[in-house]
Amino acid sequence: MPYSIDVDQLRTFLAVAELGSFTKAGDAVHKTQSAVSMQMKKLEERIGQPIFVKDGRNSRITEHGRRLVEHARRMVALNDETLSAFHEPEIAGRIRLGLPDDYAERLLPQVLAAFNRLNPCINLDVECSSSNEIGRRIQKGELDVGIVTSGDCTSVPGQIVRREPLQWVGSREHIVYDQRPLRLAVGPTTCSWRQAGVAALDHLNIQHQVVYTSASAAALAGAVNAGLAIAILPASALRQGQRILGEKEGLPPLPPCDITIIRSQMAIEPVHDALCHHIVASIGNVTMEYNGMDAEAAE
């Protein structure tokens, strides 16, 4: 029996490991779900150990699978490097991507890093700015693709790729939510999260005061952790030292936050399609790092 591993199987394996789903991985590597399943079955037979287990509708990587990931990355990279020395890559180019800094912090480590591994010949130039500014630059052709907050960018139509709850966020070390007027750390007046929070407070006649304004999610987080105010953030934007606040603390519910992908009218090349398809397939699978934080808040 030959002691070798199919590189194509390893490439599919990495896609499943990155995206958490055979179906999503199939979209990324242009294979049917059944073809992906067959490849993973053959790879498991070759490895001699289970590399995935079912977790609801998705597939979760096993400890053996995690051990395989780094080996697979090196083998696929060496394969691609060898072939590129003799052939032009099928998809190569440069993409100018814009997204707000809080999305960059949450999405870059997983979604964009995975895209880079799956498409090593596509270079990403990432710029962080407000959703409104990204929309303006998309219209002018200065950016190719943008990931924006729907309510903050109305100038360019797009596709909603993720919906998550907006939350009132406070410090675990400081009690600010019971003070009146309620002190808020929020984005500029054009920020839809700010508008939603203020409208909800006004509806219940809760006195409030904006004491800290910044377009930077990191700056808002600093104000929250210091006990200066509470903020309005998507659930997955919570950081260490923060907790979710809600009705128990006398605060009204908030509408969900929609994350949208937009693209320039000139972004019509295969490289742009590859990035957009990857974002659509994978962004909903981003790990929610706040797990446990909201559980503590509910105690």
Side-chain angles (χ1 to χ4, degrees), residues 9 11-44 49-62 65 118 281-282 285:
Q9 292 176 3
R11 195 184 304 277
T12 302
F13 163 72
L14 290 175
V16 178
E18 299 283 5
L19 303 178
S21 162
F22 282 22
T23 301
K24 292 177 180 178
D27 292 338
V29 297
H30 311 294
K31 289 181 172 63
T32 64
Q33 189 272 338
S34 59
V36 171
S37 298
M38 181 61 70
Q39 279 197 314
M40 294 305 93
K41 181 180 179 181
K42 290 182 178 179
L43 183 58
E44 285 187 324
Q49 300 289 347
I51 54 179
F52 291 107
V53 294
K54 292 297 293 182
D55 184 8
R57 299 180 62 183
N58 293 333
S59 297
R60 179 168 51 85
I61 195 169
T62 66
L118 294 170
S282 61
N285 196 53

Side-chain angles (χ1 to χ4, degrees), residues 260-295:
T260 298
I261 184 171
I262 59 177
R263 61 197 289 182
S264 166
Q265 293 182 346
M266 295 176 286
I268 56 176
E269 300 299 324
V271 290
H272 306 119
D273 292 337
L275 176 61
C276 291
H277 291 160
H278 176 82
I279 291 173
V280 171
S282 61
I283 199 172
N285 196 53
V286 173
T287 303
M288 301 293 269
E289 300 292 347
Y290 68 97
N291 283 345
M293 294 186 184
D294 49 350

Side-chain angles (χ1 to χ4, degrees), residues 87-160:
H87 303 281
E88 289 295 324
E90 291 186 7
I91 301 180
R94 169 175 169 261
I95 304 175
R96 300 165 299 173
L97 173 67
L99 66 168
D101 68 333
D102 59 322
Y103 292 165
E105 180 179 357
R106 290 184 287 146
L107 303 182
L108 275 172
Q110 296 185 58
V111 175
L112 300 185
F115 178 78
N116 179 256
R117 286 190 287 269
L118 294 170
N119 301 274
C121 295
I122 299 179
N123 296 318
L124 286 178
D125 294 340
V126 180
E127 298 185 26
C128 295
S129 188
S130 67
S131 294
N132 188 53
E133 175 65 12
I134 290 167
R136 187 187 68 80
R137 298 192 63 192
I138 287 282
Q139 280 188 311
K140 295 178 65 176
E142 296 174 351
L143 291 173
D144 301 312
V145 179
I147 303 174
V148 298
T149 301
S150 294
D152 292 356
C153 178
T154 58
S155 57
V156 182
Q159 177 184 359
I160 295 175

